[in-house]
Amino acid sequence: MCFSSDEMSSQVRLRLLPSERCLYDKPIQVKVSHLKSRQVVSIKASSTDERGVLFSSSATYRADENGEIDLVRDASLSGSYVGVEPMGLLTTLKPNIVNNLFVKDKALEPHMVKFSVHDEEEQDRMLAEATNERFLMADGVSRVSVEEGNFHGVLFTPPGKGPFPAVLDLCVMMSEKRAALLADKGFVVLTVPVFNEQPVNVKMLHLDPFEEAITFLLQQPKVGSKQIGIVSKSKSADVALSLAAFVPGVEAVVWINGCSANTVLPLFYKTQQILPALMFDTKKLIPTQSGAFIAKYATDDPLKEENRATLIPIEQANTHFLFVASEDDLGWDSKAYMIEMEERLKHHGKKNFESVCYPKAGHFLEPPYGPFCFSSLNWFLKKPAVWGGGPRAHAAAEVHLWKKIQEFLRSHVICDLVQNNAKL
């Protein structure tokens, strides 16, 4: 609880329930009380990301006859969003510098969000404030940096004896957020970046370091599964498909808004090139008024005869797939790639996949309740890109998908108690 003043309890109160401290992927209830009956106020939120970029949001609310506002119940009249959006102040946080993604990648540091209530007539007059600490690591989860052979990453292990299923979190550039949160759900998770440096400096990609990561993960004492699950998005999604097709040990793959072909860089395994790269044409980028570009139609068509060699042979994988596509993804033509994969698997008599589509969501599907990203730098294009979607639909998709990912991994990455006891 937080009071605007230490004086009397009649002062305006801003409460974050059930607590001001919570996990990143948990919703909170924002309540204001001790206002005048029907008083109009603005409620603001602000947060600074790991690069020091300030993000902020604001919404105008009218108190009820008892002088109370409850964001779960009440509609915003104007501001960053309109209508009933209990977590709208978080999901609509916008950067003060255009074309910026909210960077929250380090698991040891909480996402700090400052909430404040302001008199609508005197905007400089703050009536109450409170700070929400949103943790990426739950109590008892352990975090260990890993540098083994040709890969580096971070290992997150849940509390308790286990055995736990093993998950490889493939991120394009290093991020601990999704892995740390998944460990709280009962998975041993190793997060490994596809790129250790800016992708523009890389000439080819090798699957071998990721195979080393899989081997390392399966050797962890609390791991009880014989194979692993992989969670991936964007460029890392085609790497995940390639691991399923060429490398043993992959039981399940979550593919989010990626391509069905190997993109950008030629792919090698055991010193041999296994897939050429599907490229993009910068002349097909569509400029927008914000200065960011729509890249959806710039990638070459993998189904054209001259590009078919880039298609990843997922039909040869003994893997369960969860394909996830945002229909308003403006970074990739994700839904088209998903349909291509579904049809190819069906053609080969395979039923080892399920799919989910989100009609008005954009490219960056992340764990829920983070700021919606309209546009940010695309590392491969070296230009800002528009990612598509709208805050409300995108936020709803993230809540639904987060549960879906956990259910999918639990149902397919199964623990073997005998194997676990043999290790110990």
Side-chain angles (χ1 to χ4, degrees):
M1 291 180 198
C2 205
F3 298 84
S4 64
S5 164
D6 295 330
E7 293 169 14
M8 299 162 55
S9 61
S10 61
Q11 293 290 316
V12 176
R13 294 172 70 185
L14 170 59
R15 290 179 295 160
L16 308 175
L17 303 171
S19 169
E20 292 183 354
R21 295 159 63 92
C22 65
L23 270 179
Y24 184 98
D25 61 353
K26 297 289 187 236
I28 54 164
Q29 184 175 14
V30 181
K31 294 184 91 168
V32 184
S33 58
H34 295 77
L35 293 165
K36 295 171 193 159
S37 180
R38 304 291 180 185
Q39 183 176 352
V40 177
V41 296
S42 59
I43 307 177
K44 299 182 179 183
S46 64
S47 183
T48 303
D49 79 353
E50 289 171 1
R51 292 172 306 179
V53 177
L54 178 67
F55 286 68
S56 56
S57 61
S58 176
T60 304
Y61 285 89
R62 185 188 299 279
D64 64 13
E65 61 272 13
N66 299 315
E68 295 181 349
I69 297 169
D70 180 348
L71 267 61
V72 169
R73 173 196 71 190
D74 299 327
S76 164
L77 307 175
S78 64
S80 301
Y81 57 95
V82 174
V84 179
E85 284 288 317
M87 295 291 282
L89 285 167
L90 279 171
T91 57
T92 64
L93 284 164
K94 277 189 180 174
N96 61 353
I97 304 168
V98 294
N99 302 325
N100 260 283
L101 172 73
F102 188 88
V103 176
K104 182 76 208 82
D105 292 331
K106 295 171 184 167
L108 295 174
E109 298 167 12
H111 172 25
M112 305 290 286
V113 187
K114 180 183 170 186
F115 291 88
S116 54
V117 182
H118 299 258
D119 190 307
E120 184 64 10
E121 293 175 1
E122 302 174 58
Q123 275 295 308
D124 293 338
R125 190 164 155 242
M126 186 168 68
L127 305 175
E129 63 179 333
T131 300
N132 184 201
E133 287 186 65
R134 306 185 64 78
F135 292 90
L136 294 174
M137 277 179 69
D139 290 342
V141 171
S142 81
R143 176 194 177 279
V144 179
S145 291
V146 179
E147 287 201 34
E148 292 271 332
N150 294 304
F151 81 91
H152 80 92
V154 180
L155 181 72
F156 293 92
T157 308
K161 290 182 179 177
F164 302 110
V167 173
L168 181 67
D169 184 344
L170 271 186
C171 41
V172 179
M173 301 287 279
M174 190 60 186
S175 174
E176 301 176 20
K177 175 168 57 184
R178 190 169 54 195
L181 291 167
L182 276 175
D184 173 57
K185 312 300 186 272
F187 301 96
V188 175
V189 190
L190 176 65
T191 182
V192 175
V194 172
F195 299 103
N196 298 318
E197 56 182 315
Q198 291 293 341
V200 291
N201 301 324
V202 181
K203 299 290 181 274
M204 63 187 75
L205 208 55
H206 292 265
L207 281 185
D208 308 75
F210 304 109
E211 183 176 38
E212 289 179 35
I214 292 169
T215 303
F216 171 85
L217 184 51
L218 288 171
Q219 288 170 347
Q220 296 310 300
K222 286 191 183 182
V223 166
S225 56
K226 288 179 177 171
Q227 300 195 344
I228 67 154
I230 301 178
V231 185
S232 60
K233 182 178 89 249
S234 197
K235 168 58 192 173
S236 74
D238 66 64
V239 177
L241 296 180
S242 298
L243 287 168
F246 295 103
V247 174
V250 181
E251 182 67 45
V253 166
V254 179
W255 173 100
I256 305 169
N257 289 336
C259 188
S260 55
N262 174 57
T263 59
V264 184
L265 297 165
L267 189 66
F268 286 73
Y269 181 49
K270 309 287 188 197
T271 72
Q272 299 288 319
Q273 180 176 308
I274 51 173
L275 292 170
L278 184 71
M279 302 308 289
F280 52 86
D281 183 354
T282 52
K283 296 191 195 75
K284 292 181 181 175
L285 293 172
I286 302 168
T288 67
Q289 286 184 325
S290 71
F293 293 82
I294 295 171
K296 180 173 184 172
Y297 310 103
T299 305
D300 293 341
D301 183 357
L303 295 181
K304 282 191 174 173
E305 196 54 46
E306 64 267 28
N307 298 325
R308 290 189 77 86
T310 66
L311 286 169
I312 300 158
I314 55 170
E315 60 276 6
Q316 70 188 31
N318 295 313
T319 302
H320 297 278
F321 295 104
L322 172 60
F323 299 133
V324 181
S326 295
E327 293 189 22
D328 196 36
D329 184 352
L330 296 181
W332 302 82
D333 198 356
S334 299
K335 189 178 180 187
Y337 301 140
M338 181 176 84
I339 291 167
E340 188 279 313
M341 290 190 290
E342 290 171 337
E343 290 177 353
R344 187 152 38 111
L345 288 172
K346 284 177 193 167
H347 178 73
H348 283 85
K350 297 262 191 172
K351 297 178 181 177
N352 57 335
F353 66 92
E354 54 187 292
S355 305
V356 60
C357 262
Y358 296 110
K360 294 178 182 176
H363 181 73
F364 270 108
L365 288 174
E366 292 272 291
Y369 309 124
F372 169 74
C373 181
F374 175 77
S375 59
S376 68
L377 179 70
N378 182 314
W379 288 310
F380 302 107
L381 302 175
K382 295 179 277 186
K383 297 175 189 289
V386 179
W387 298 115
R392 185 186 296 246
H394 192 89
E398 289 184 332
V399 172
H400 181 270
L401 176 60
W402 189 231
K403 291 176 184 164
K404 181 78 181 169
I405 288 171
Q406 294 164 47
E407 290 165 4
F408 174 78
L409 291 172
R410 279 196 196 100
S411 62
H412 294 297
V413 189
I414 309 298
C415 283
D416 179 348
L417 284 164
V418 179
Q419 182 205 23
N420 193 64
N421 290 336
K423 280 187 199 174
L424 297 173

